[in-house]
Amino acid sequence: MIIFYVFQRKAYVEELKDGFVLSPKLIKSKHQNIGFSIMTKIKKGDFIIHHCNREIKAINVTKSDCYDSTRTAYKMENVSSWNNDDYRVDINYMVLDTPVKLADHKYWLQEHYSEDSVFTKNGTGKQQYMCTIVEHHALNLTIQE
């Protein structure tokens, strides 16, 4: 089991409604993007933490391995730079009652920096769609007392 962290922005609402995460295989310039290609590592039973608007909004356990898909059935407004050949993972979103503000954890993330995680030395998120997150970061951000 691997824990992933996804930065969804505007796509969060539609992906939440229909129960999936989706990314292109290539950006419009026909180049791979590491944040998108990480999708291929997702397997059924992995965890995904969902980040939108500087907050962790949901957590889930994946219902499927990553698989090939097309975006033709989805009218996602913010993906005009994508081609139509996508990666998709089906999920059941578990929306948090109270979103976790990432800014509240910035100093802890700086003190516990890990090169293998989604966060930079400054305690902010990397600028890519899908990332892996080290377990102690995931636990600190999602377990509320």
Side-chain angles (χ1 to χ4, degrees):
M1 187 254 328
I2 299 175
I3 306 170
F4 295 90
Y5 194 99
V6 62
F7 292 92
Q8 287 175 287
R9 299 183 187 178
K10 294 178 185 177
Y12 173 78
V13 174
E14 183 167 348
E15 292 179 351
L16 167 68
K17 180 180 66 142
D18 291 334
F20 66 90
V21 288
L22 184 78
S23 75
K25 291 181 181 179
L26 303 173
I27 57 176
K28 203 168 199 170
S29 64
K30 307 289 187 225
H31 292 95
Q32 286 188 327
N33 175 304
I34 187 69
F36 298 147
S37 61
I38 286 176
M39 289 276 290
T40 63
K41 297 177 187 220
I42 299 174
K43 303 291 182 206
K44 181 178 180 179
D46 286 340
F47 284 85
I48 300 178
I49 298 171
H50 299 267
H51 179 115
C52 178
N53 296 329
R54 297 184 295 274
E55 296 179 329
I56 295 173
K57 302 238 185 218
I59 302 170
N60 76 72
V61 178
T62 58
K63 295 183 347 184
S64 73
D65 290 356
C66 180
Y67 62 92
D68 295 341
S69 180
T70 59
R71 189 175 26 91
T72 55
Y74 303 98
K75 308 277 189 278
M76 297 171 76
E77 296 175 17
N78 65 324
V79 294
S80 61
S81 63
W82 292 10
N83 64 24
N84 200 33
D85 195 15
D86 299 324
Y87 298 123
R88 178 180 165 138
V89 177
D90 297 326
I91 57 180
N92 281 326
Y93 281 75
M94 292 177 274
V95 178
L96 300 176
D97 291 335
T98 304
V100 176
K101 294 184 185 319
L102 197 58
D104 293 345
H105 298 271
K106 182 176 181 175
Y107 296 112
W108 185 91
L109 291 166
Q110 288 173 342
E111 290 174 16
H112 297 89
Y113 171 73
S114 175
E115 193 173 305
D116 300 334
S117 195
V118 62
F119 302 104
T120 68
K121 289 180 181 181
N122 296 326
T124 59
K126 291 181 181 174
Q127 296 297 310
Q128 68 185 51
Y129 176 69
M130 185 71 69
C131 305
T132 56
I133 180 172
V134 294
E135 188 174 321
H136 69 279
H137 285 178
L139 291 172
N140 179 270
L141 292 171
T142 60
I143 294 178
Q144 303 298 309
E145 296 187 29

Short mmCIF file of all heavy atoms in Angstrom, two decimals, residues 4 21-25 36-44 46 62-69 86-90 130:
data_model
loop_
_atom_site.label_atom_id
_atom_site.label_comp_id
_atom_site.label_asym_id
_atom_site.label_seq_id
_atom_site.Cartn_x
_atom_site.Cartn_y
_atom_site.Cartn_z
N PHE A 4 -0.69 8.41 -1.63
CA PHE A 4 -0.49 9.45 -2.63
C PHE A 4 -1.15 10.74 -2.17
O PHE A 4 -2.04 10.72 -1.31
CB PHE A 4 -1.09 9.02 -3.98
CG PHE A 4 -0.40 7.84 -4.59
CD1 PHE A 4 -0.82 6.55 -4.31
CD2 PHE A 4 0.69 8.01 -5.43
CE1 PHE A 4 -0.18 5.45 -4.85
CE2 PHE A 4 1.34 6.92 -5.98
CZ PHE A 4 0.90 5.64 -5.69
N VAL A 21 -10.10 10.07 -9.98
CA VAL A 21 -9.07 11.06 -10.30
C VAL A 21 -8.64 10.76 -11.72
O VAL A 21 -8.63 9.61 -12.16
CB VAL A 21 -7.85 11.05 -9.33
CG1 VAL A 21 -8.23 11.63 -7.98
CG2 VAL A 21 -7.25 9.69 -9.18
N LEU A 22 -8.28 11.82 -12.44
CA LEU A 22 -7.99 11.70 -13.87
C LEU A 22 -6.84 12.61 -14.23
O LEU A 22 -6.76 13.74 -13.74
CB LEU A 22 -9.25 12.12 -14.66
CG LEU A 22 -9.23 12.00 -16.16
CD1 LEU A 22 -9.44 10.54 -16.56
CD2 LEU A 22 -10.36 12.84 -16.77
N SER A 23 -5.94 12.13 -15.06
CA SER A 23 -4.86 12.98 -15.56
C SER A 23 -4.52 12.57 -16.98
O SER A 23 -4.75 11.42 -17.37
CB SER A 23 -3.61 12.87 -14.68
OG SER A 23 -2.95 11.66 -14.91
N PRO A 24 -3.98 13.49 -17.78
CA PRO A 24 -3.56 13.11 -19.12
C PRO A 24 -2.29 12.27 -19.07
O PRO A 24 -1.53 12.34 -18.11
CB PRO A 24 -3.29 14.46 -19.80
CG PRO A 24 -2.88 15.35 -18.68
CD PRO A 24 -3.69 14.90 -17.49
N LYS A 25 -2.10 11.47 -20.11
CA LYS A 25 -0.83 10.74 -20.23
C LYS A 25 0.27 11.70 -20.66
O LYS A 25 1.41 11.59 -20.20
CB LYS A 25 -0.97 9.61 -21.24
CG LYS A 25 -1.88 8.50 -20.76
CD LYS A 25 -1.96 7.39 -21.78
CE LYS A 25 -2.89 6.29 -21.28
NZ LYS A 25 -3.00 5.22 -22.27
N PHE A 36 1.74 13.50 -13.61
CA PHE A 36 0.72 12.69 -14.26
C PHE A 36 1.15 11.22 -14.36
O PHE A 36 0.35 10.31 -14.15
CB PHE A 36 0.40 13.23 -15.65
CG PHE A 36 -0.18 14.63 -15.65
CD1 PHE A 36 0.09 15.49 -16.69
CD2 PHE A 36 -0.97 15.08 -14.60
CE1 PHE A 36 -0.44 16.78 -16.71
CE2 PHE A 36 -1.51 16.38 -14.61
CZ PHE A 36 -1.24 17.23 -15.68
N SER A 37 2.42 10.98 -14.67
CA SER A 37 2.87 9.59 -14.84
C SER A 37 2.88 8.83 -13.51
O SER A 37 2.81 7.60 -13.51
CB SER A 37 4.23 9.54 -15.52
OG SER A 37 5.20 10.20 -14.76
N ILE A 38 2.94 9.53 -12.38
CA ILE A 38 2.85 8.85 -11.08
C ILE A 38 1.51 8.12 -10.94
O ILE A 38 1.40 7.14 -10.22
CB ILE A 38 3.08 9.86 -9.93
CG1 ILE A 38 4.57 10.20 -9.87
CG2 ILE A 38 2.60 9.31 -8.58
CD1 ILE A 38 4.95 11.24 -8.85
N MET A 39 0.50 8.58 -11.66
CA MET A 39 -0.81 7.90 -11.63
C MET A 39 -0.66 6.41 -11.93
O MET A 39 -1.39 5.59 -11.37
CB MET A 39 -1.76 8.52 -12.66
CG MET A 39 -2.24 9.91 -12.32
SD MET A 39 -3.65 9.92 -11.21
CE MET A 39 -4.95 9.28 -12.25
N THR A 40 0.27 6.03 -12.80
CA THR A 40 0.41 4.62 -13.20
C THR A 40 0.85 3.73 -12.05
O THR A 40 0.72 2.50 -12.14
CB THR A 40 1.41 4.47 -14.36
OG1 THR A 40 2.70 4.90 -13.93
CG2 THR A 40 0.96 5.27 -15.58
N LYS A 41 1.34 4.31 -10.97
CA LYS A 41 1.79 3.53 -9.82
C LYS A 41 0.65 3.20 -8.85
O LYS A 41 0.82 2.40 -7.93
CB LYS A 41 2.89 4.28 -9.07
CG LYS A 41 4.11 4.49 -9.94
CD LYS A 41 5.16 5.31 -9.22
CE LYS A 41 6.27 5.61 -10.21
NZ LYS A 41 7.56 5.54 -9.69
N ILE A 42 -0.51 3.82 -9.03
CA ILE A 42 -1.62 3.64 -8.10
C ILE A 42 -2.28 2.28 -8.33
O ILE A 42 -2.60 1.91 -9.46
CB ILE A 42 -2.65 4.77 -8.25
CG1 ILE A 42 -1.99 6.11 -7.93
CG2 ILE A 42 -3.86 4.52 -7.35
CD1 ILE A 42 -2.87 7.32 -8.20
N LYS A 43 -2.48 1.56 -7.24
CA LYS A 43 -3.10 0.24 -7.25
C LYS A 43 -4.34 0.24 -6.36
O LYS A 43 -4.46 1.06 -5.44
CB LYS A 43 -2.13 -0.84 -6.74
CG LYS A 43 -0.82 -0.92 -7.50
CD LYS A 43 -1.04 -1.45 -8.87
CE LYS A 43 0.29 -1.58 -9.62
NZ LYS A 43 0.14 -1.49 -11.04
N LYS A 44 -5.22 -0.69 -6.61
CA LYS A 44 -6.41 -0.87 -5.77
C LYS A 44 -5.96 -1.05 -4.32
O LYS A 44 -5.04 -1.83 -4.04
CB LYS A 44 -7.21 -2.08 -6.23
CG LYS A 44 -8.47 -2.31 -5.44
CD LYS A 44 -9.24 -3.50 -5.98
CE LYS A 44 -10.50 -3.70 -5.15
NZ LYS A 44 -11.28 -4.83 -5.65
N ASP A 46 -4.67 1.42 -2.43
CA ASP A 46 -3.79 2.52 -2.03
C ASP A 46 -4.64 3.66 -1.46
O ASP A 46 -5.85 3.72 -1.67
CB ASP A 46 -2.98 3.04 -3.22
CG ASP A 46 -1.85 2.10 -3.63
OD1 ASP A 46 -1.44 1.25 -2.82
OD2 ASP A 46 -1.38 2.23 -4.78
N THR A 62 -8.41 3.58 -2.84
CA THR A 62 -8.75 3.41 -4.26
C THR A 62 -9.53 2.12 -4.51
O THR A 62 -9.29 1.10 -3.86
CB THR A 62 -7.47 3.42 -5.12
OG1 THR A 62 -6.61 2.38 -4.68
CG2 THR A 62 -6.75 4.75 -5.02
N LYS A 63 -10.47 2.20 -5.46
CA LYS A 63 -11.29 1.05 -5.84
C LYS A 63 -10.72 0.31 -7.04
O LYS A 63 -11.18 -0.78 -7.37
CB LYS A 63 -12.71 1.50 -6.19
CG LYS A 63 -13.47 2.07 -5.04
CD LYS A 63 -14.92 2.47 -5.33
CE LYS A 63 -15.36 2.54 -6.74
NZ LYS A 63 -16.73 3.00 -6.93
N SER A 64 -9.75 0.91 -7.73
CA SER A 64 -9.18 0.28 -8.93
C SER A 64 -7.71 0.61 -9.05
O SER A 64 -7.23 1.58 -8.45
CB SER A 64 -9.91 0.77 -10.19
OG SER A 64 -9.55 2.12 -10.49
N ASP A 65 -7.01 -0.20 -9.82
CA ASP A 65 -5.68 0.17 -10.28
C ASP A 65 -5.86 1.33 -11.27
O ASP A 65 -6.95 1.53 -11.81
CB ASP A 65 -5.02 -0.99 -11.03
CG ASP A 65 -4.64 -2.16 -10.14
OD1 ASP A 65 -4.81 -2.08 -8.91
OD2 ASP A 65 -4.17 -3.17 -10.70
N CYS A 66 -4.79 2.04 -11.56
CA CYS A 66 -4.82 3.03 -12.61
C CYS A 66 -5.07 2.33 -13.94
O CYS A 66 -4.53 1.25 -14.20
CB CYS A 66 -3.48 3.76 -12.66
SG CYS A 66 -3.39 5.03 -13.93
N TYR A 67 -5.91 2.94 -14.78
CA TYR A 67 -6.17 2.34 -16.09
C TYR A 67 -6.31 3.44 -17.15
O TYR A 67 -6.48 4.61 -16.83
CB TYR A 67 -7.41 1.45 -16.06
CG TYR A 67 -8.72 2.12 -15.70
CD1 TYR A 67 -9.56 2.63 -16.69
CD2 TYR A 67 -9.13 2.22 -14.38
CE1 TYR A 67 -10.77 3.22 -16.36
CE2 TYR A 67 -10.34 2.81 -14.05
CZ TYR A 67 -11.16 3.31 -15.05
OH TYR A 67 -12.35 3.91 -14.72
N ASP A 68 -6.19 3.03 -18.41
CA ASP A 68 -6.31 3.96 -19.53
C ASP A 68 -7.76 4.40 -19.68
O ASP A 68 -8.68 3.60 -19.52
CB ASP A 68 -5.85 3.30 -20.83
CG ASP A 68 -4.37 2.96 -20.83
OD1 ASP A 68 -3.63 3.54 -20.00
OD2 ASP A 68 -3.95 2.12 -21.64
N SER A 69 -7.95 5.67 -20.01
CA SER A 69 -9.28 6.23 -20.14
C SER A 69 -9.23 7.37 -21.16
O SER A 69 -8.15 7.78 -21.58
CB SER A 69 -9.75 6.75 -18.78
OG SER A 69 -11.03 7.30 -18.85
N ASP A 86 -6.01 9.55 -21.34
CA ASP A 86 -5.83 9.82 -19.92
C ASP A 86 -5.52 8.57 -19.10
O ASP A 86 -5.70 7.44 -19.56
CB ASP A 86 -7.11 10.43 -19.35
CG ASP A 86 -7.48 11.74 -20.00
OD1 ASP A 86 -6.57 12.51 -20.34
OD2 ASP A 86 -8.68 11.99 -20.17
N TYR A 87 -5.10 8.83 -17.85
CA TYR A 87 -5.03 7.83 -16.78
C TYR A 87 -6.19 8.10 -15.84
O TYR A 87 -6.51 9.27 -15.56
CB TYR A 87 -3.73 7.96 -15.98
CG TYR A 87 -2.46 7.74 -16.74
CD1 TYR A 87 -1.49 8.73 -16.78
CD2 TYR A 87 -2.20 6.54 -17.40
CE1 TYR A 87 -0.30 8.54 -17.45
CE2 TYR A 87 -1.01 6.34 -18.08
CZ TYR A 87 -0.07 7.35 -18.10
OH TYR A 87 1.11 7.16 -18.77
N ARG A 88 -6.78 7.04 -15.30
CA ARG A 88 -7.91 7.20 -14.39
C ARG A 88 -7.80 6.17 -13.26
O ARG A 88 -7.35 5.05 -13.47
CB ARG A 88 -9.23 7.01 -15.13
CG ARG A 88 -10.45 7.12 -14.24
CD ARG A 88 -11.72 6.94 -15.02
NE ARG A 88 -12.83 6.68 -14.12
CZ ARG A 88 -14.02 7.20 -14.24
NH1 ARG A 88 -14.29 8.02 -15.25
NH2 ARG A 88 -14.98 6.91 -13.38
N VAL A 89 -8.25 6.59 -12.07
CA VAL A 89 -8.36 5.70 -10.92
C VAL A 89 -9.74 5.95 -10.31
O VAL A 89 -10.12 7.11 -10.08
CB VAL A 89 -7.27 5.98 -9.87
CG1 VAL A 89 -7.47 5.09 -8.64
CG2 VAL A 89 -5.88 5.77 -10.46
N ASP A 90 -10.49 4.88 -10.07
CA ASP A 90 -11.81 5.00 -9.45
C ASP A 90 -11.66 4.97 -7.93
O ASP A 90 -10.88 4.17 -7.40
CB ASP A 90 -12.72 3.87 -9.91
CG ASP A 90 -12.98 3.94 -11.41
OD1 ASP A 90 -13.05 5.05 -11.95
OD2 ASP A 90 -13.10 2.86 -12.04
N MET A 130 0.08 14.75 -8.97
CA MET A 130 0.05 13.58 -8.08
C MET A 130 1.46 13.34 -7.56
O MET A 130 2.43 13.39 -8.33
CB MET A 130 -0.44 12.35 -8.83
CG MET A 130 -0.63 11.10 -7.99
SD MET A 130 -2.03 11.15 -6.86
CE MET A 130 -3.43 11.10 -7.97
#
